[in-house]
Amino acid sequence: KSIRAVQRLRPDVVAEREVFAEWQKTVDGARVVCVDESGIVIGARLGYGYAPRGERCVEHAPYRKGKRTNLLGWIGLGRGAVIAVQGYVDGDVFEMFVREHLAPSLEPGDIVVWDNHSIHKRPVLREMIEARGARLVPQPRYSPEFNTSEPMWSKVIRTLSPSIFIS
């Protein structure tokens, strides 16, 4: 079972989602580049556990507080990149990512899709993308399933740092 934001049921959000879903049917998927961020804390404990049915899950483990690492990445058909940044991602860090990693990789006709996070809303970001002949199409609010990079993060995190998951 997955939990979804109730806001996605509002009429304005439903309309945005319908328009985006119809738009997706009209574009060449090979031209779509999805961008996202994900954070990890090295040494963090998982927030859940498993126990036999009817028994409580109890675990004793050392307290570990690691440093936060954020991953920023983009993925397209047969191409993509991920960078790691110590600490949190703010507008300046995201702008650097677009300027130094995403924009130089874009080709005319590419379509960049990312969510509606506040760090994605600087006008200079759209300008950098459009200067490469690409265009930006933000995904609808409360709609992570429209970004193909979302399922990639668990695999990337395990590959980059298998030690973050303590057994």
Side-chain angles (χ1 to χ4, degrees):
K1 207 174 207 189
S2 62
I3 298 175
R4 296 192 173 133
V6 71
Q7 292 91 328
R8 71 187 294 160
L9 302 176
R10 288 190 341 228
D12 58 328
V13 176
V14 168
E16 284 179 32
R17 292 170 50 78
E18 288 172 354
V19 167
F20 192 87
E22 287 303 312
W23 168 81
Q24 279 186 312
K25 295 175 187 176
T26 68
V27 298
D28 177 2
R31 302 316 312 249
V32 176
V33 173
C34 291
V35 178
D36 204 5
E37 313 83 31
S38 184
I40 57 175
V41 177
I42 303 299
R45 305 288 307 160
L46 293 175
Y48 56 87
Y50 299 95
R53 184 176 296 251
E55 293 182 31
R56 187 180 183 127
C57 177
V58 177
E59 181 179 348
H60 298 281
Y63 175 76
R64 294 185 185 186
K65 184 171 181 161
K67 292 184 180 179
R68 181 167 186 82
T69 300
N70 272 289
L71 305 173
L72 293 97
W74 63 271
I75 187 169
L77 189 62
R79 58 194 176 127
V82 175
I83 67 164
V85 177
Q86 293 301 312
Y88 290 88
V89 175
D90 60 13
D92 293 336
V93 171
F94 190 73
E95 185 175 324
M96 175 277 305
F97 168 75
V98 172
R99 182 180 54 257
E100 296 178 15
H101 300 279
L102 175 64
S105 302
L106 294 174
E107 299 171 5
D110 281 346
I111 303 164
V112 176
V113 175
W114 61 44
D115 61 29
N116 287 284
H117 192 300
S118 61
I119 64 172
H120 300 161
K121 295 185 179 187
R122 291 183 176 185
V124 69
L125 302 173
R126 180 180 295 274
E127 292 166 11
M128 286 188 275
I129 290 166
E130 291 176 351
R132 302 291 298 184
R135 68 183 168 134
L136 173 63
V137 179
Q139 69 194 56
R141 296 170 288 165
Y142 310 105
S143 303
E145 71 277 11
F146 286 130
N147 189 322
T148 57
S149 67
E150 288 286 343
M152 150 185 93
W153 288 116
S154 64
K155 294 166 185 61
V156 169
I157 289 170
R158 283 191 184 274
T159 301
L160 293 177
S161 184
S163 64
I164 66 167
F165 296 101
I166 303 166
S167 9

